[in-house]
Amino acid sequence: MKKTMMGNYAASWGAQLARVQVIAAYPITPQTLIVEKLSDIVADGELDAKFIKVESEHSAMAACIGASATGARAYTATSAQGLALMHEMLHWAGLARLPIVMTNVNRAMAPGWSIWADQNDSLSQRDTGWMQIYASSAQEILDSTLIGYKVSEKVLLPTLISFDAFFLSHTMEVVDMPEIELIDKYLPPYKPDYKMDVNDPRSFGALTDEQYYYEFRYKMQKAMDEAVDIIKEAGKEYEKITGRAYGLVHPYRCEDADMILVTSGTIADTTNVAVDELRAEGKKVGNLRIRVIRPYPKKEILEVVKGVKKLAVIDRNISPGYSGIFSQELKSALYNEVDIPVRSYIAGLGGRDVKIEDIKDMANDALKNDAPNDLIWKGVKI
Amino acid sequence: MRLTIPEHEIMTPGHLACQGCGGSLAMRYALKVFGKDTMLSIPACCWAVIDGPFPYTAVNVPLFHTAFETAAIMASGIKAGLMVQGKDTTNVVAFAGDGGTFDIGIQAISGAAERNDDVTYIVYDNEAYMNTGIQRSSATPHGAWTTTTPVKHYKKGPKKNMAEIMAAHRIPYTATASVGYPEDFCKKLEKAKNTKGFKFIHVLAPCPTGWKYDPRYTIKLAKLAVQTNYFPLYEIIDGIHYKQTIKVKERKPLKEYLKYQGRFKHLLEDEVQFLQDFIDENYGLLSMKFE
């Protein structure tokens, strides 16, 4: 069934189709619509779930952890400050190996107060043991929620699905809602091997000395490694029932490209249009959208970029004191593998619009200049 | 006298508590009453250690170790997870120290209380951050020494009145208890177990390590705290109906309670009197509410 909806509601309906059992959430712009809709869905009896209206995002994540530890499917959504407040519990969910799925509407961190698109909120949570997906359409938000649970419950790691504030959260798109019967087959009820069970009493997360902790981290890394193939399999299986394919990276016109732009989020969709226009001008440019940043798809990226003469990364985020985060990750993936110069651009922080012309400007700048550059500010007004 | 404390033991003896630990007694009684169909949420506190390191456990019921400020909401999350799976009968108990309750955890407790989530919150109060090495909390009484309120500037100002804060949420059941009165404590645990909604039990749990007393005096001090009106035992139904459960005919002088404890030994006569007056005034205000 096709429906016109905002990106936020695609997240709500994704959670409903996933038959989440416990939702714990706290309002924050621009995410609020997601949980408002879910609140309606639960109140109307359209989803058999318990909704805990918590007093903070820290508690939202804690409640999801408790529910997930009993074997229930748990969900929450947040943005920026809320995600930052959860930070401690994100580590907790990751190390407790609980398959929680969370939606994060990418919003700039304060101060100054900003409610607009920026990826620094979720990228600050990169090392918490969550798999991270960056969606670029409303359809992908819904689909990723289902794929997210599928993968999470297999590898026992939580999934964070992020997408840009307002550009995606509040814009309308036609979204195909898969039939629930198909989804029920794709995503059967969560049945963990270990959970809180009065008939098999165990202590979870007890004091762990160095004789054990090190191996816990090793196993977490193994799970991340395995997740790469499992994400691909889950994407392929999803394609069989919906016709929509999802991988870890999505290349666009990269096959014969001399230069590839590396992008994520809504900038990636705009970049596809820019690529078409640049191609029409005779410039052999492609776009590689990074959809999953944890686990990092190093092999998949190298397969696309090997042989290309130049790379240009566009980051809607920055690690102050160094550079854009996707840029750093890309360069670390290339090092020791291939020698391709990388030009790294910062654009669109705090929700500043990144238009087709802006992307073409960056691409043309990169085409003209052969020298690598770690940090180029696009359109800074100082 | 008829024994009202359940005979069976759920907690095992192989735990890591200090000699004379009031907090381990509190857990022992709590599990006796709540039974095997119980799940625990335990934040950072002495009990995060007492239960034993991975892969050991001493409580014999499922236990989720959680972050300092999340005992209450973790219990709510566990309860919600159980309810959606049709396991409504399982008791979910948050068991936390005073730091995790009076200080860092109070926001999540207030949230769970306001929503009236169907869990029991037990705070075993040893009146300071004992697990990290005796730092003051907002449960530390006026006059007490701790490592962050050394003798030169000992704790000034009263202990936070947690029971009143909980009663103000109009939760169905609030009670104070002492490990020195186990039958009274067990009756209150039983009431909590049989009441729907958010239940809060504040149990005084003397700590020989932090209070600087001989471990053999744990029960004596847990009784003296009540007999001096330092820690009156009562319950509050629906936040408004106050009932004293252990009546003290003639209160003992507070110094009877203080004199065993190294943490108070620096107090001069006038400070002891100040504390005595404060305790009497507090009790006077409370006793007006008893029905």
Side-chain angles (χ1 to χ4, degrees), chain B residues 109-129:
Chain B
I109 297 167
S110 178
E114 183 271 336
R115 289 187 305 272
N116 203 22
D117 290 345
D118 187 20
V119 300
T120 299
Y121 193 104
I122 300 171
V123 49
Y124 64 104
D125 179 9
N126 50 31
E127 303 193 313
Y129 290 87

Side-chain angles (χ1 to χ4, degrees), chain A residues 242-362:
Chain A
T242 63
R244 291 184 293 275
Y246 293 99
L248 287 89
V249 295
H250 285 204
Y252 180 72
R253 302 185 80 168
C254 286
E255 302 80 15
D256 62 338
D258 291 332
M259 185 183 85
I260 292 176
L261 293 153
V262 180
T263 59
S264 65
T266 52
I267 287 179
D269 261 22
T270 316
T271 302
N272 284 347
V273 182
V275 162
D276 287 344
E277 293 186 10
L278 289 161
R279 286 269 177 174
E281 296 165 17
K283 292 161 183 163
K284 286 167 83 177
V285 176
N287 176 28
L288 177 62
R289 174 164 79 90
I290 310 293
R291 182 174 123 79
V292 177
I293 193 173
R294 281 293 177 279
Y296 194 69
K298 177 174 169 170
K299 201 171 99 239
E300 291 67 23
I301 289 170
L302 287 171
E303 273 168 21
V304 176
V305 305
K306 66 170 186 264
V308 81
K309 291 187 191 116
K310 206 182 288 177
L311 291 165
V313 194
I314 304 174
D315 266 300
R316 181 173 252 155
N317 62 77
I318 183 156
S319 171
Y322 195 13
S323 63
I325 294 163
F326 279 85
S327 159
Q328 294 170 36
E329 300 247 323
L330 178 70
K331 283 182 285 183
S332 90
L334 301 177
Y335 193 76
N336 285 346
E337 304 285 347
V338 283
D339 188 11
I340 305 171
V342 178
R343 287 181 72 82
S344 305
Y345 298 85
I346 302 289
L349 301 183
R352 188 172 295 179
D353 203 3
V354 180
K355 302 186 183 77
I356 299 165
E357 308 87 82
D358 300 320
I359 293 165
K360 285 170 76 180
D361 279 354
M362 289 184 267

Side-chain angles (χ1 to χ4, degrees), chain B residues 266-285:
Chain B
H266 54 279
L267 293 184
L268 301 174
E269 206 48 49
D270 58 335
E271 270 293 41
V272 172
Q273 191 54 51
F274 175 83
L275 210 47
Q276 179 70 70
D277 293 345
F278 176 75
I279 296 300
D280 289 342
E281 182 189 54
N282 236 8
Y283 182 75
L285 288 168

Side-chain angles (χ1 to χ4, degrees), chain A residues 77-222:
Chain A
T78 191
S79 283
Q81 311 300 132
L83 187 66
L85 183 60
M86 281 180 190
H87 178 72
E88 179 190 28
M89 301 319 287
L90 297 185
H91 279 287
W92 215 282
L95 280 161
R97 305 289 301 273
L98 296 168
I100 298 160
V101 171
M102 167 163 60
T103 307
N104 175 61
V105 183
N106 278 132
R107 160 184 159 175
M109 296 300 298
W113 281 119
S114 165
I115 53 172
W116 296 283
D118 189 304
Q119 296 171 325
N120 257 77
D121 58 350
S122 52
L123 288 169
S124 299
Q125 310 303 335
R126 186 190 58 178
D127 302 334
T128 54
W130 283 62
M131 296 183 282
Q132 283 210 19
I133 297 173
Y134 288 82
S136 71
S137 70
Q139 182 72 62
E140 188 181 351
I141 295 166
L142 183 144
D143 294 339
S144 297
T145 310
L146 302 164
I147 296 170
Y149 279 109
K150 177 93 173 168
V151 175
S152 278
E153 290 171 8
K154 203 148 194 183
V155 298
L156 298 181
L157 289 169
T159 297
L160 180 68
I161 301 159
S162 293
F163 55 87
D164 290 336
F166 298 102
F167 296 123
L168 200 43
S169 65
H170 286 66
T171 50
M172 304 284 276
E173 226 180 85
V174 176
V175 173
D176 175 50
M177 302 250 294
E179 295 302 320
I180 186 75
E181 296 76 20
L182 291 174
I183 296 306
D184 282 347
K185 255 189 233 162
Y186 178 76
L187 187 64
Y190 173 45
K191 296 255 182 271
D193 288 341
Y194 296 100
K195 61 177 179 179
M196 295 184 83
D197 180 357
V198 289
N199 299 312
D200 180 21
R202 291 166 189 269
S203 165
F204 295 83
L207 188 67
T208 307
D209 67 19
E210 97 296 348
Q211 290 303 317
Y212 294 101
Y213 189 90
Y214 189 88
E215 281 70 23
F216 284 170
R217 280 296 192 185
Y218 176 82
K219 286 183 164 185
M220 185 186 230
Q221 176 61 27
K222 281 280 156 206

